[in-house]
Amino acid sequence: MVQILHRIRIPVLPIQTLQVFKFHQKKNYLEADKCYEEALSLNPQHLQTLFNKVSLEYQKRNTESCVLYLNQILEIQPDNQKAKLLLDQVL
């Protein structure tokens, strides 16, 4: 099943997506972080997951990690305006 998901580039199962959203919304950052990391291990170039990770790190006031993930987004999509804007705000 994981191989099929990876091949079609879906980072997590829908139930996991709902679960991570609930963790993030309820500020259970440790569990949300685990879910995002698992999703990124399946598809490290999934932009929405990377942006969600930036949001989580920003809420945790971890600007170094924000910069790291925003730079990863810009490596994938160098012209991504949202990532550029957020990077300027974080720095």
Side-chain angles (χ1 to χ4, degrees):
M1 182 90 154
V2 172
Q3 291 174 344
I4 293 170
L5 291 174
H6 182 69
R7 190 168 2 118
I8 61 174
R9 304 186 71 77
I10 297 174
V12 290
L13 298 172
I15 191 72
Q16 291 170 316
T17 302
L18 181 59
Q19 185 178 24
V20 72
F21 177 74
K22 287 180 181 179
F23 286 142
H24 196 152
Q25 188 177 33
K26 292 183 179 184
K27 299 183 181 183
N28 186 341
Y29 298 143
L30 181 61
E31 292 301 320
D33 193 45
K34 287 179 187 178
C35 292
Y36 289 135
E37 289 299 324
E38 181 181 346
L40 290 171
S41 74
L42 294 172
N43 185 353
Q45 296 188 342
H46 190 266
L47 292 178
Q48 187 58 54
T49 303
L50 288 166
F51 274 115
N52 290 344
K53 184 73 169 150
V54 169
S55 173
L56 178 69
E57 295 301 329
Y58 186 79
Q59 289 174 327
K60 293 174 12 183
R61 302 191 194 296
N62 190 345
T63 55
E64 287 182 28
S65 289
C66 288
V67 170
L68 174 78
Y69 288 106
L70 288 166
N71 283 328
Q72 284 181 15
I73 292 167
L74 290 171
E75 285 178 22
I76 298 164
Q77 279 188 349
D79 295 328
N80 189 302
Q81 294 302 314
K82 181 177 176 182
K84 288 180 180 181
L85 179 64
L86 289 172
L87 189 58
D88 286 342
Q89 291 177 357
V90 170
L91 294 177

